[in-house]
Amino acid sequence: MINFNSYIASLILVCILYIPSIRSIYKYIIPSPFLAILLAIVLFFLYQAFLFIIKSNKKLENILSSKIICSVYMIIISVLSYIIYPIADALKTKGQGTTADDALIEPAKNFLMGKPMYDLVLYSGVPASAGSGWVILNSPFVAISSYWLFIPLYIITTIFIYYKIRKDIKTINIVIILLSTSLLYWNLLVVGHDLVALSFSFVMLTLVLHYFSFNREGRQGIIMISILAILSGFIASSRVVFLAFPMLLAIFLFKFNKYKALLYGLLTLVTNTSLHLYFYFDTYTYQPMHIFERAKDNVNYFFITIGGIITLVVVFIAFKKINQSLDSLIKWSFVCLAVPLCIIALGELNYYNFNIKMWEGANYFMPFIPLGLFFVAQHIQGKTQTD
């Protein structure tokens, strides 16, 4: 087993929670490199102190093992979304705010009205990034005019699934506390950015696929994996590039159960591809494809090439090292998702000549943050069964 100590854990937490939050600090507080570096150092030692206390203080351990923390947290994010999201959304009337929520809401409205899904123009003129299956899956929130419930429900469902599978409330509470230190997370939460919901859906897919792959055999296991594969196809359509995540899970599963891996991978691929193709031909411009143009324009070929090579190497190493435990699957899923997204994010920062305020690529950290936090929370407690 690797020597995973609090120093490494604190460094990972600073990287995945603080670095992408620097943009919020520059935009809303003070655009100061000195302050940014100082906060990074302070957070490093605060994370280290928190992780040390977790392992050494029995009283805190009892508190963290209480369901009260996660219950209060679920209430807080629901109330915040209900109160603050409409305020943030209303900024569009003043030419401010973001189109992150509209990129899902407006295609959903067209779908519900029977119109071509992407026959639209967002108020700022940017294309809609959300893919067709993801739009369909979440259209009920738009249909009942309750988009504010969208992100909280994904987070609450993930907490429920993790607890049902692991019966480990302490890890959930540690994840919640650590996540709450990320300005990026709070910023995306209150504006209704779908990347928050997507990041927790990745955790859910990882948890449920592992459960039905190794804990349910025979007909029931096959049926549930088939249903999960179809759902994965819808979720992975959130962005045209995110089919890579369920395919990654299928590759890992292939090491231990070839039949289930092929079933899951092929059915996910067919579902995802069918959704994209149908709506691609249903509209004049399939707007989710614009992310390829964005990558070509904002991230030069050097970063794309290097990122691709490094990612393939990391996936190969992960396949060699992964074992059948859920902890190992969470760990390597996090690593393999974080590597390409971090490289893309840094490539975009380079494109903007390291102008932090312009760095929308900071949002690319969000899809792997919850996986990373579950990984850290498990390892720092010494509960894992990974390599």
Side-chain angles (χ1 to χ4, degrees):
M1 177 178 287
I2 61 173
N3 182 23
F4 192 93
N5 55 42
S6 60
Y7 293 99
I8 299 174
S10 299
L11 183 60
I12 291 175
L13 292 174
V14 169
C15 289
I16 69 175
L17 294 176
Y18 175 69
I19 288 179
S21 298
I22 294 176
R23 183 180 181 229
S24 297
I25 295 172
Y26 268 58
K27 285 183 67 176
Y28 305 119
I29 305 177
I30 302 174
S32 166
F34 173 76
L35 177 63
I37 295 171
L38 178 63
L39 284 175
I41 296 171
V42 170
L43 273 176
F44 175 82
F45 287 107
L46 286 177
Y47 286 141
Q48 199 173 9
F50 175 68
L51 297 175
F52 173 77
I53 293 172
I54 287 173
K55 295 196 293 183
S56 60
N57 191 309
K58 289 292 183 183
K59 187 175 293 186
L60 179 60
E61 184 174 357
N62 292 333
I63 294 173
L64 288 174
S65 299
S66 169
K67 295 180 181 178
I68 294 176
I69 295 177
C70 66
S71 299
V72 171
Y73 174 79
M74 289 187 286
I75 293 172
I76 289 174
I77 60 170
S78 299
V79 171
L80 278 177
S81 295
Y82 180 75
I83 295 174
I84 300 180
Y85 168 69
I87 297 173
D89 187 53
L91 291 175
K92 298 184 185 70
T93 61
K94 302 177 181 179
Q96 302 173 11
T98 174
T99 58
D101 55 335
D102 289 335
L104 193 152
I105 293 173
E106 296 305 322
K109 286 180 178 178
N110 279 0
F111 171 73
L112 292 168
M113 291 187 293
K115 297 180 180 179
M117 186 178 286
Y118 296 100
D119 186 13
L120 55 88
V121 178
L122 300 182
Y123 89 92
S124 62
V126 301
S129 299
S132 51
W134 184 239
V135 170
I136 294 170
L137 188 64
N138 297 296
S139 59
F141 295 105
V142 178
I144 61 175
S145 301
S146 297
Y147 188 81
W148 64 270
L149 189 58
F150 168 50
I151 295 174
L153 189 59
Y154 272 83
I155 297 175
I156 292 169
T157 303
T158 303
I159 290 172
F160 176 78
I161 291 174
Y162 187 88
Y163 180 73
K164 291 294 289 184
I165 291 175
R166 301 302 294 264
K167 298 293 188 293
D168 179 10
I169 201 69
K170 182 181 177 183
T171 294
I172 293 171
N173 287 335
I174 292 173
V175 169
I176 287 170
I177 292 170
L178 292 174
L179 182 62
S180 298
T181 65
S182 170
L183 284 177
L184 173 71
Y185 163 69
W186 290 113
N187 184 34
L188 297 183
L189 172 70
V190 298
V191 300
H193 204 304
D194 67 324
L195 284 181
V196 181
L198 178 64
S199 68
F200 280 91
S201 72
F202 284 167
V203 178
M204 283 190 275
L205 291 182
T206 305
L207 293 170
V208 178
L209 178 63
H210 182 274
Y211 181 79
F212 285 108
S213 296
F214 298 106
N215 297 284
R216 288 292 183 271
E217 298 296 335
R219 185 178 180 184
Q220 183 188 28
I222 297 301
I223 291 173
M224 294 308 300
I225 285 180
S226 299
I227 294 172
L228 181 64
I230 295 171
L231 179 62
S232 298
F234 276 80
I235 291 173
S237 74
S238 54
R239 302 293 187 272
V240 291
V241 295
F242 279 141
L243 175 62
F245 185 74
M247 293 298 100
L248 176 70
L249 295 179
I251 289 170
F252 289 157
L253 180 58
F254 188 81
K255 183 175 180 179
F256 308 105
N257 192 316
K258 293 179 175 56
Y259 175 73
K260 287 183 178 179
L262 288 172
L263 173 65
Y264 175 75
L266 290 175
L267 194 50
T268 298
L269 178 63
V270 169
T271 302
N272 183 271
T273 305
S274 298
L275 286 165
H276 283 308
L277 287 177
Y278 177 84
F279 288 97
Y280 178 86
F281 290 110
D282 184 54
T283 187
Y284 180 74
T285 301
Y286 189 58
Q287 295 187 28
M289 296 293 289
H290 87 277
I291 66 170
F292 291 117
E293 288 297 318
R294 178 180 176 133
K296 185 180 70 174
D297 295 338
N298 294 7
V299 185
N300 63 45
Y301 288 112
F302 172 79
F303 279 95
I304 294 174
T305 303
I306 294 299
I309 294 171
I310 294 175
T311 300
L312 289 175
V313 171
V314 170
V315 171
F316 177 77
I317 294 172
F319 184 79
K320 289 291 187 180
K321 288 183 170 292
I322 195 169
N323 61 46
Q324 293 188 34
S325 71
L326 175 59
D327 305 308
S328 186
L329 182 61
I330 289 175
K331 168 187 173 180
W332 289 111
S333 296
F334 158 62
V335 172
C336 293
L337 186 61
V339 167
L341 290 179
C342 283
I343 292 172
I344 292 171
L346 292 175
E348 186 164 300
L349 181 60
N350 176 70
Y351 172 79
Y352 286 113
N353 294 316
F354 293 88
N355 184 337
I356 301 294
K357 286 186 178 181
M358 298 289 292
W359 188 33
E360 290 190 16
N363 295 345
Y364 302 158
F365 281 69
M366 192 65 231
F368 60 78
I369 286 177
L371 279 168
L373 294 182
F374 276 104
F375 161 54
V376 169
Q378 282 289 334
H379 275 259
I380 204 64
Q381 295 176 83
K383 294 181 176 181
T384 60
Q385 301 172 355
T386 58
D387 54 286

